[in-house]
Amino acid sequence: GINAEYGVRSLLEYCCPLWDPVKVTEIQLLEGVQRTFTSRIAGLENLNYWERLGHLKLMSLQRRRERYIILMMWKILHNVVPNCCNIKFAETSRNGTRAIITPLSRSSSLSNQTLYDSSFAVRGPKLWNKVPAAVKAETTFDTFKISLSKFLALIPDNPPVTGYTRGWSNSLVDYTPSRWSDI
């Protein structure tokens, strides 16, 4: 049952702050595991994957990985875990605590730039900077997790899935609502 999903899901999410696929084909493969599992739940056979996620109140695996990365950023900011990537933070009056993304040398090859862009040192700050100031201002980990989950629940979660066509990215990095007050 559901316990089997959590056992498999924990394997798929292990160390995701360090290992977070960004290629659509890799995301589709991972989402395919949860998609197949949820399609076998009685009464949900006629719903598409995105509808099943909503019905079950589940996040996509992609969204869960991004959530874990944001949680790790909070821990780095509050010195709960070591800051091995040397991520810097700055306070702003408009956006609260922002993470600073250190640029890679201009002389770096395209393959190095691609690796750098998909690293935790870049994706972590980009995801952190998408979180509203009020959520980032939470002072305890438990209240931050709750506020972050409430915020993420307001953002459409339609991961790339084989056989479904869509013209947008599901990543929070690429999400820009017309007004943040709309969500």
Side-chain angles (χ1 to χ4, degrees):
I2 295 294
N3 290 335
E5 179 194 3
Y6 290 113
V8 171
R9 203 161 67 180
S10 65
L11 292 174
L12 294 173
E13 295 170 344
Y14 180 75
C15 279
C16 65
L18 298 176
W19 177 80
D20 180 34
V22 293
K23 290 181 183 175
V24 171
T25 54
E26 294 169 345
I27 295 169
Q28 287 174 330
L29 283 171
L30 290 172
E31 291 294 338
V33 175
Q34 183 164 270
R35 177 184 176 194
T36 299
F37 184 86
T38 61
S39 71
R40 295 180 177 154
I41 297 173
L44 303 182
E45 306 91 344
N46 296 324
L47 300 178
N48 71 39
Y49 177 53
W50 302 329
E51 292 167 337
R52 289 193 303 270
L53 289 176
H55 182 79
L56 294 167
K57 295 185 181 8
L58 291 176
M59 290 183 199
S60 68
L61 295 175
Q62 179 185 22
R63 183 63 47 87
R64 286 176 59 85
R65 286 190 306 277
E66 291 185 341
R67 178 178 174 271
Y68 288 136
I69 290 170
I70 296 167
L71 292 172
M72 182 63 73
M73 290 293 294
W74 187 95
K75 289 178 177 182
I76 289 170
L77 174 65
H78 294 276
N79 299 311
V80 175
V81 297
N83 186 355
C84 299
C85 295
N86 200 26
I87 295 169
K88 306 278 190 240
F89 295 90
E91 281 296 320
T92 66
S93 58
R94 182 176 177 201
N95 298 311
T97 305
R98 305 261 312 157
I100 300 166
I101 302 166
T102 307
L104 189 61
S105 168
R106 292 179 191 246
S107 62
S108 294
S109 68
L110 184 58
S111 62
N112 283 347
Q113 184 68 50
T114 301
L115 287 171
Y116 180 72
D117 288 343
S118 62
S119 72
F120 178 80
V122 173
R123 292 207 24 99
K126 283 183 176 181
L127 289 164
W128 176 262
N129 292 340
K130 289 290 185 172
V131 177
V135 175
K136 291 187 284 190
E138 295 290 0
T139 56
T140 70
F141 188 64
D142 287 340
T143 57
F144 177 73
K145 279 177 30 178
I146 292 166
S147 294
L148 179 62
S149 293
K150 287 179 182 177
F151 164 68
L152 293 176
L154 300 173
I155 299 174
D157 186 14
N158 300 307
V161 179
T162 306
Y164 290 69
T165 56
R166 31 179 228 97
W168 63 91
S169 166
N170 191 52
S171 176
L172 295 171
V173 169
D174 301 319
Y175 185 72
T176 306
S178 56
R179 291 189 332 236
W180 279 104
S181 60
D182 288 346
I183 59 169

